[in-house]
C-alpha cells in the first residue's frame, strides 16, 4: 500500500551533469533530494549516482569529481526514474537556478517517453529568483548565500547533488524565516470541547498621572504650537477633557 504524503511537503533538489547542455548529449550523473515537512528536515532523502553512458567534460569533472570509472557500475537513469517520480510526486520542488536542472530532468524523462518531470510535482520554487529579489545587485550563488546566512559550507570542496541540496534546504529556510505569519504566536490551550481555554485574569493596570509641573510644561509647549499656527494646534484635540495645569 502506498503511503499518503503530507500536503505541505517540499523537496529540495539538485543534480550533477556531464556538461552544460542536454541537447548536445550531456546527461545527469547524480540526483540528490532533501525532504522538508512543516519547515523541518525529515531525513527522508533521495540520492542516486547514475551511469550517463558517456564521459564528463573536463570543466564539469573539475566541478563534481565524478569520474567515468566511478560511475560505470551505477544504474542508468531509466533504472532510477520510477523511484524519483514516486519521491517527488505531489511535492513542491525547490531548485537553485531551476531552468538548468529542469532542462536536464525533462530531457531525461523525454528520452524515456515519459511526461515532463514538472508534471509529477505540484510546483517549482527557484531560490535564485528569490535571492535576486531579496538581494538585488548582490552575488546569489549557493556559496554566497551560505556566507550571507551564516551556513557553514567549509566541507564543500567539490559540488555534490545531495550536499548541495542539504545546503540549499538550510538557505531556503533562512531566506523564508518569518514569512509564515505576520503576527506573534500566542500559546492558548484549548479545552476538550474545542473552545479557547481561560487565559486568566488581567493584571492590575497602573495609571501614573502627570504632576502639576509636567502639566504646566505640556501647556507651555502647546501654547508655543498655538502661536506658530496662529490658532489652536492639532494636539489640543487630543488633550484629555478637563485636564489643565494647576
Amino acid at each position: 500500500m502506498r503511503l499518503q504524503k503530507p500536503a505541505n511537503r517540499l523537496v529540495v533538489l539538485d543534480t550533477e551533469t556531464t556538461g552544460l547542455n542536454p541537447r548536445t548529449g550531456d546527461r545527469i550523473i547524480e540526483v540528490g533530494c532533501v525532504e522538508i515537512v512543516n519547515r523541518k528536515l525529515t531525513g527522508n532523502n533521495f540520492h542516486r549516482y547514475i551511469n550517463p553512458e558517456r564521459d564528463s567534460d573536463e570543466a564539469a569533472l573539475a566541478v563534481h569529481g565524478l569520474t567515468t570509472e566511478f560511475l560505470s557500475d551505477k544504474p542508468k537513469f531509466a533504472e532510477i526514474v520510477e523511484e524519483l517520480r514516486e519521491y517527488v510526486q505531489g511535492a513542491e520542488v525547490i531548485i537553485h537556478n531551476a531552468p538548468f536542472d529542469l532542462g536536464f530532468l525533462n530531457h531525461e524523462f523525454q528520452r524515456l517517453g515519459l511526461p515532463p518531470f514538472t508534471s509529477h510535482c505540484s510546483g517549482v520554487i527557484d531560490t535564485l529568483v528569490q535571492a535576486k529579489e531579496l538581494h538585488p545587485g548582490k552575488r546569489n550563488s549557493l556559496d554566497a548565500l551560505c556566507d550571507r546566512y551564516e551556513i557553514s559550507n567549509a566541507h564543500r570542496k567539490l559540488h555534490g547533488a545531495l550536499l548541495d541540496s542539504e545546503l540549499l534546504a538550510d538557505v531556503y529556510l533562512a531566506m523564508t524565516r518569518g514569512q509564515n505569519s505576520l503576527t506573534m504566536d500566542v500559546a492558548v490551550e484549548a479545552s476538550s470541547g474545542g473552545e479557547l481555554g481561560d487565559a486568566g485574569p488581567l493584571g492590575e493596570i497602573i495609571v501614573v498621572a502627570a504632576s502639576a509641573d509636567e502639566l504646566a510644561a505640556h501647556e507651555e509647549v502647546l501654547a508655543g504650537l498655538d502661536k506658530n499656527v496662529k490658532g489652536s494646534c492639532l494636539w489640543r484635540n487630543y488633550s484629555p477633557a478637563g485636564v489643565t495645569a494647576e
Side-chain angles (χ1 to χ4, degrees):
M1 183 178 68
R2 182 174 297 180
L3 296 176
Q4 185 70 30
K5 294 186 173 69
N8 54 350
R9 182 172 177 260
L10 302 174
V11 168
V12 185
L13 179 146
D14 186 53
T15 65
E16 297 298 334
T17 63
T18 62
L20 298 177
N21 193 346
R23 295 179 181 176
T24 58
D26 284 315
R27 305 287 302 277
I28 293 175
I29 58 175
E30 185 185 7
V31 178
C33 302
V34 172
E35 183 182 63
I36 301 175
V37 176
N38 294 327
R39 295 187 60 80
K40 296 185 185 302
L41 303 177
T42 67
N44 176 29
N45 300 337
F46 178 92
H47 182 223
R48 299 289 184 275
Y49 291 111
I50 298 161
N51 180 358
E53 304 176 89
R54 59 155 290 170
D55 295 337
S56 290
D57 296 343
E58 288 186 13
L61 183 59
V63 170
H64 55 64
L66 300 176
T67 64
T68 301
E69 181 181 7
F70 173 78
L71 297 170
S72 62
D73 62 348
K74 302 301 184 286
K76 298 177 177 63
F77 193 87
E79 299 173 63
I80 65 97
V81 69
E82 288 303 325
E83 289 181 277
L84 179 59
R85 285 208 297 175
E86 169 62 21
Y87 183 84
V88 302
Q89 192 69 41
E92 195 161 19
V93 178
I94 299 169
I95 306 175
H96 198 68
N97 190 19
F100 179 86
D101 299 86
L102 292 179
F104 273 92
L105 288 163
N106 285 333
H107 188 78
E108 294 282 2
F109 276 56
Q110 183 181 23
R111 282 171 56 94
L112 298 172
L114 297 171
F117 170 83
T118 46
S119 68
H120 301 284
C121 51
S122 65
V124 175
I125 297 171
D126 190 337
T127 48
L128 180 58
V129 173
Q130 283 189 330
K132 286 180 176 179
E133 292 173 351
L134 289 171
H135 312 289
K138 301 288 184 66
R139 291 178 60 247
N140 289 302
S141 66
L142 182 56
D143 283 334
L145 291 172
C146 285
D147 289 342
R148 188 169 299 141
Y149 291 103
E150 299 181 344
I151 295 166
S152 175
N153 62 345
H155 53 306
R156 189 187 188 226
K157 306 304 181 186
L158 292 170
H159 287 225
L162 183 60
L163 171 60
D164 288 0
S165 291
E166 290 170 341
L167 291 172
L168 183 58
D170 288 338
V171 165
Y172 173 79
L173 292 173
M175 278 203 306
T176 58
R177 188 171 294 132
Q179 290 186 8
N180 284 353
S181 174
L182 297 179
T183 60
M184 295 178 63
D185 292 331
V186 180
V188 180
E189 293 186 1
S191 66
S192 59
E195 297 179 355
L196 293 178
D198 185 2
L202 293 174
E204 181 183 358
I205 299 174
I206 301 174
V207 178
V208 179
S211 68
D213 288 342
E214 289 170 335
L215 289 173
H218 178 65
E219 178 60 32
E220 185 178 346
V221 171
L222 293 182
L225 293 174
D226 290 343
K227 183 177 179 181
N228 289 337
V229 299
K230 298 180 180 180
S232 180
C233 71
L234 177 65
W235 295 107
R236 294 286 185 189
N237 298 330
Y238 296 96
S239 295
V243 177
T244 59
E246 297 294 341

